[in-house]
Amino acid sequence: MSLVLEGGCLCAAVRFHIHQAPLRTLVCHCTFCQRMTGSSFYANSVFPVDAVRFNAGEIRRYEHTSDGSGKKVYVEFCPTCGTTIGLAFERWPDLRAISRGCYDNPNAVDITSNLWTRSAQSGVALPAGIDCFATARSTAEGQPEHPSRYPKPVMAR
Ligand SMILES: [Zn+2]
Ligand SMILES: [Zn+2]
């Protein structure tokens, strides 16, 4: 059985295909992700950087310096339609993120954790049975953080 994930941007100038399952798929409620998407949270899958194959469509990068780490986060987007394709990271050069909403079938991947729930917006519910982290998955020093697991969905605030 081989998983193939395909997707792209709104105008289809950028297309990608991926022949492996993501390392993890996250919902991030941090204020950077809220503003970047103009929405309540950002769902994205993390892959080894070379697992994602792109077509020749142009991708542009916006460099954002993270408040927390001081490292750069690269927002990758289609210059024609503005869709956020994903993220790349100065801190984790071997990894990249792909926006879940860009998959042709977003439900082909399951959410494995929620991050930065302490800044989740009102009206947002946190799911039951998966790891919910108040902040990041690990400290700046790389120590793992301890997630909550809710028996039932809970409102974020
Ligand atoms: Zn586009
Ligand atoms: Zn975030």
Side-chain angles (χ1 to χ4, degrees):
M1 199 187 96
S2 65
L3 176 70
V4 179
L5 292 165
E6 292 186 290
C9 65
L10 199 54
C11 76
V14 176
R15 295 286 300 167
F16 58 78
H17 62 101
I18 305 162
H19 293 260
Q20 70 172 71
L23 302 173
R24 51 191 171 268
T25 298
L26 312 167
V27 167
C28 187
H29 302 272
C30 82
T31 53
F32 162 81
C33 286
Q34 291 180 22
R35 194 173 290 264
M36 177 192 73
T37 58
S39 188
S40 294
F41 50 78
Y42 179 47
N44 63 91
S45 298
V46 179
F47 292 94
V49 70
D50 51 9
V52 184
R53 299 298 160 90
F54 288 99
N55 71 350
E58 183 188 0
I59 296 174
R60 275 198 214 155
R61 279 186 163 190
Y62 170 72
E63 291 187 10
H64 173 83
T65 301
S66 168
D67 296 342
S69 68
K71 303 278 190 188
K72 287 195 170 58
V73 180
Y74 308 103
V75 180
E76 298 188 324
F77 62 97
C78 169
T80 302
C81 68
T83 300
T84 302
I85 307 295
L87 302 175
F89 312 96
E90 182 182 15
R91 192 173 167 192
W92 301 292
D94 298 340
L95 302 176
R96 63 144 34 263
I98 289 289
S99 303
R100 190 193 194 191
C102 288
Y103 293 131
D104 295 339
N105 176 14
N107 300 325
V109 298
D110 293 323
I111 300 292
T112 51
S113 56
N114 275 228
L115 307 185
W116 291 95
T117 60
R118 76 175 187 191
S119 53
Q121 292 178 7
S122 63
V124 169
L126 303 176
I130 65 169
D131 289 345
C132 290
F133 294 86
T135 60
R137 294 172 71 249
S138 58
T139 66
E141 295 75 38
Q143 296 298 110
E145 294 279 10
H146 299 289
S148 301
R149 280 201 171 210
Y150 302 110
K152 289 192 286 191
V154 296
M155 297 309 291
R157 53 183 7 93

